[in-house]
Amino acid sequence: MPVTTSHTGPEHRSPLPERKQTDVSQVLDTPPSPAEPSPQGSGAATARAAAPTPAELAARYGLTVSGSRPSLPAYVVQLWQRRHFITAFATAKLTAQYSQAKLGQVWQIMTPLLNAAVYYLIFGILLGTKRNVPDFVPFLVTGVFVWTFTQQSVQTGTRAISGSLGLVRALHFPRASLPISYCIQQLQQLLFSMCALVVILLCFGVPPAPSWLLAIPALTLQFVFNAGLSLIMARLGSKTPDLSQLMPFLLRTWMYTSGVMWSIDRMLSGRDIPQIVKLLLQANPAAVYIDLMRFSLIDSFHAGQLPPHVWALAAGWALLAGVGGFIYFWQAEETYGRG
Amino acid sequence: MADTMAHTETGTQDAARSGERVPTVIADDVDIVYRVNGTKGGRGSATAALSRILRPGAAAKASGVRTVHAVRKVSFTAYKGEAIGLIGTNGSGKSTLLKAVAGLLPVENGRIFTNGQPSLLGVNAALMNDLTGERNVHLGGLAMGMSRAQIKERYQQIVDFSGINEKGDFITLPMRTYSSGMAARLRFSIAAAKDHDVLLIDEALATGDRSFQRRSEARIRELRAEAGTVFLVSHNNKSIRDTCERVLWLERGELRMDGPTEEVLKEYEAFTKK
């Protein structure tokens, strides 16, 4: 390779280049706007007079401060462009999940079923929460599957950035792809479980009904809620990896208050419970999504057992978590992978 | 530099057409400082961690936060079509500087401007270890913003370039089964499949064998020809000589020399022989 002689500028020749630019603003928090038009026409005349400062040079050639955050609309566009990556990543992770197990993909269905069996043993038989709840097995299994979707989304979301640092540092893509992708993976997992659920429902004599179609809007809203929560947890988890140690405890507490294995409605009726506690239990997003799914699938689960304004609640939680979580995650976009 | 200034009014596009030097990375008086937690020995680090949480800032020193000034007042401008070698003894701040250019480290003072988003290839950058090499190629390509059709078209090229399949059908095995050299080769092949504006290579080629190094050096020259800018950190002076025409020499975080490869390497070799 011949040594080119293009470096004739003084700044390349002299060792230890010294620059005297006292006028350059060194303030970190005021980077020039990337949208700043490059000085042309009259602006160029003044720029020609003196050697430009690095900031001026950067502005003229459209360079931007390294590691700056894109605007929110631009970020959404970038994310949309990566939609194939998001879905392909989720599918790949799902199939890789049990690749080391001998039974392989059978675990996709076995894991949720075993989960439900354990809860049936403890709560249904030993603690007797099945009293007064008609169709207890479909009731319990629906609760466990729907809850697992939220629980797993939050848990994998917490590690979405901190567990994929290699990928985040090696390649550039909008980081929100990762938590969203993990949520899609959980959604795919849930769809497997739902197939098992349909079989269970039919075995226990729950007739198929048009109301089953309500499961689709319920799941959609729950997915948006989960994705938002997962984005929030991904940002928190990337700053404080300790959170992934703490999350199982918080999630278990949440599960026990969400009526996964008992009916909140039956618990509340006929007891002297402060109104505020009642309200909190009923407005709990996990409980809302679980009850909506039960309402749409199980014929003995009546609308009267749902909290008031349940669809508004479900949509409100989804919107709040989805939009809030996305903005919260985006606000730290440039910091993921640092350190 | 001087003649670049004379034609500023022609604008960016004209400048590129007439073969003028268009800057792609500008580092302006960059300082980088690391803050390291838990360096205070002796005292139980749990108590140090607690006091760090309870009294942030005020007790930073007492609770064992140390600052390391890794890069000091470094300024340089890199242009389109340049391959720039970064040399210096271990711990001189080369990798730190590249991380900051890639936007992965915040700068303490000064600013770094880049054209688009630089891609950093490090030694430790793992992709998805539990997935097969094939999946990694696809997902890596999608993550970089390539379309499915583009990936399909370049897939064979990427695999051939990596040389993963030279000794059997390894591309369909999970990446965790690869040797470190194989994994590094596949990573580089994936990242190099896209035409980057700025590509930062941090000793990522060191683990590959000689024939792979030759292939990657050829690819670096290709990227330069396509008007990209390549930064290469390497302790292999021959590799630097073969690919770069300009070298930055960092020592103790300071830019000691910046100039044509031969000049800087001569000084550097004299320095390291001491």
Side-chain angles (χ1 to χ4, degrees):
Chain A
M1 179 104 233
V3 177
T4 62
T5 50
S6 59
H7 295 293
T8 45
E11 69 173 293
H12 297 300
R13 258 289 144 76
S14 59
L16 280 178
E18 276 289 319
R19 289 194 180 193
K20 292 184 181 61
Q21 287 156 343
T22 43
D23 58 328
V24 179
S25 160
Q26 300 285 359
V27 188
L28 265 174
D29 52 353
T30 53
S33 150
E36 210 169 70
S38 53
Q40 292 188 347
S42 66
T46 49
R48 206 189 310 168
T53 64
E56 283 168 12
L57 196 64
R60 183 174 315 137
Y61 287 98
L63 305 194
T64 50
V65 172
S66 181
S68 58
R69 177 184 357 136
S71 71
L72 195 54
Y75 191 61
V76 174
V77 170
Q78 279 182 17
L79 202 58
W80 177 248
Q81 285 165 346
R82 293 301 200 284
R83 63 194 180 280
H84 295 302
F85 168 66
I86 295 175
T87 50
F89 186 79
T91 315
K93 280 280 173 192
L94 187 75
T95 47
Q97 200 173 13
Y98 299 109
S99 61
Q100 297 203 53
K102 290 233 164 79
L103 285 178
Q105 303 304 314
V106 176
W107 286 108
Q108 304 279 14
I109 299 220
M110 286 277 278
T111 312
L113 283 183
L114 285 175
N115 241 326
V118 169
Y119 288 124
Y120 180 69
L121 179 72
I122 305 294
F123 290 94
I125 296 176
L126 293 181
L127 290 177
T129 45
K130 75 178 185 186
R131 266 170 290 162
N132 305 326
V133 180
D135 291 324
F136 182 70
V137 171
F139 176 90
L140 175 74
V141 174
T142 310
V144 171
F145 286 1
V146 173
W147 163 256
T148 308
F149 179 30
T150 296
Q151 181 201 33
Q152 288 296 323
S153 299
V154 172
Q155 218 152 38
T156 52
T158 313
R159 286 192 307 267
I161 299 294
S162 57
S164 310
L165 276 184
L167 185 63
V168 167
R169 287 180 182 160
L171 303 176
H172 267 280
F173 55 90
R175 308 317 190 190
S177 312
L178 285 179
I180 292 175
S181 188
Y182 278 110
C183 279
I184 293 182
Q185 184 201 338
Q186 296 308 325
L187 182 68
Q188 292 170 328
Q189 178 100 58
L190 180 69
L191 295 180
F192 271 105
S193 308
M194 294 300 266
C195 296
L197 181 60
V198 168
V199 176
I200 292 176
L201 287 174
L202 295 175
C203 285
F204 281 83
V206 178
S211 71
W212 282 21
L213 288 177
L214 285 178
I216 295 168
L219 263 189
T220 310
L221 289 175
Q222 195 195 357
F223 171 74
V224 175
F225 173 78
N226 286 354
L229 211 55
S230 165
L231 284 164
I232 295 173
M233 293 317 298
R235 174 171 171 183
L236 292 174
S238 75
K239 296 279 144 10
T240 323
D242 313 45
L243 263 181
S244 60
Q245 309 295 322
L246 193 65
M247 282 321 286
F249 302 101
L250 294 178
L251 283 167
R252 219 177 305 158
T253 314
W254 192 10
M255 175 179 77
Y256 288 131
T257 54
S258 302
V260 174
M261 48 295 256
W262 59 73
S263 159
I264 290 182
D265 179 61
R266 294 287 149 97
M267 280 271 286
L268 293 180
S269 61
R271 288 204 197 188
D272 188 26
I273 294 172
Q275 190 59 33
I276 179 80
V277 177
K278 237 179 204 176
L279 210 68
L280 281 177
L281 280 176
Q282 285 184 331
N284 173 359
V288 167
Y289 294 120
I290 290 171
D291 281 346
L292 269 181
M293 189 60 79
R294 283 174 181 155
F295 168 67
S296 55
L297 295 182
I298 306 171
D299 61 336
S300 59
F301 193 94
H302 298 296
Q305 288 165 270
L306 291 171
H309 310 297
V310 65
W311 284 105
L313 261 178
W317 276 119
L319 214 64
L320 183 73
V323 175
F326 187 74
I327 292 176
Y328 181 70
F329 185 88
W330 160 78
Q331 280 175 331
E333 171 73 8
E334 72 276 21
T335 65
Y336 303 121
R338 279 183 179 172
Chain B
M1 198 69 179
D3 61 79
T4 315
M5 292 306 100
H7 302 284
T8 48
E9 71 269 36
T10 53
T12 320
Q13 264 111 45
D14 293 340
R17 215 180 305 131
S18 61
E20 269 185 25
R21 305 207 298 156
V22 177
T24 49
V25 177
I26 302 176
D28 175 19
D29 252 345
V30 170
D31 275 279
I32 300 168
V33 176
Y34 278 109
R35 286 185 180 72
V36 190
N37 282 338
T39 48
K40 197 138 185 170
R43 202 145 64 98
S45 56
T47 50
L50 263 183
S51 64
R52 226 175 17 244
I53 294 164
L54 295 177
R55 293 172 295 163
K61 191 143 198 178
S63 59
V65 175
R66 265 181 56 190
T67 57
V68 179
H69 205 142
V71 172
R72 298 163 197 267
K73 296 224 169 294
V74 169
S75 298
F76 63 86
T77 306
Y79 298 90
K80 261 191 182 161
E82 265 188 333
I84 301 177
L86 260 111
I87 56 171
T89 47
N90 286 138
S92 53
K94 307 181 295 289
S95 300
T96 307
L97 185 61
L98 281 200
K99 274 188 189 157
V101 172
L104 293 173
L105 270 179
V107 291
E108 188 82 4
N109 290 307
R111 262 179 288 170
I112 299 177
F113 302 94
T114 57
N115 176 22
Q117 178 58 66
S119 298
L120 173 64
L121 273 180
V123 245
N124 303 318
L127 294 176
M128 293 142 277
N129 271 330
D130 47 345
L131 304 181
T132 62
E134 197 181 348
R135 287 270 193 190
N136 268 288
V137 173
H138 278 119
L139 287 172
L142 286 173
M144 289 190 301
M146 288 162 73
S147 71
R148 282 184 200 275
Q150 270 174 317
I151 296 167
K152 212 170 179 179
E153 187 190 307
R154 296 199 192 177
Y155 175 77
Q156 203 49 48
Q157 214 179 322
I158 295 172
V159 176
D160 291 345
F161 186 90
S162 70
I164 294 289
N165 270 354
E166 274 165 12
K167 292 191 180 66
D169 183 25
F170 286 124
I171 197 77
T172 49
L173 287 179
M175 214 162 154
R176 67 181 127 81
T177 60
Y178 290 11
S179 74
S180 57
M182 283 163 74
R185 274 157 40 177
L186 186 59
R187 275 194 306 264
F188 180 80
S189 310
I190 293 171
K194 201 184 159 214
D195 298 330
H196 296 276
D197 293 328
V198 180
L199 183 62
L200 315 166
I201 304 168
D202 186 1
E203 296 187 72
L205 309 180
T207 44
D209 50 34
R210 189 61 207 139
S211 72
F212 178 73
Q213 282 183 14
R214 263 199 300 273
R215 278 204 298 278
S216 34
E217 283 165 15
R219 177 67 184 136
I220 291 173
R221 282 192 284 269
E222 228 174 272
L223 282 172
R224 281 180 50 199
E226 287 155 17
T229 307
V230 179
F231 284 80
L232 178 66
V233 168
S234 179
H235 288 288
N236 181 347
N237 289 353
K238 186 171 180 313
S239 211
I240 299 254
R241 274 202 180 91
D242 286 349
T243 42
C244 310
E245 85 267 18
R246 177 179 167 195
V247 169
L248 305 179
W249 176 11
L250 281 176
E251 207 57 59
R252 291 169 192 271
E254 282 167 3
L255 190 59
R256 199 169 160 127
M257 241 179 131
D258 172 358
T261 305
E262 273 315 315
E263 271 177 41
V264 181
L265 276 184
K266 215 171 93 189
E267 291 288 318
Y268 179 64
E269 275 160 0
F271 175 82
T272 46
K273 279 206 181 78
K274 272 194 290 197

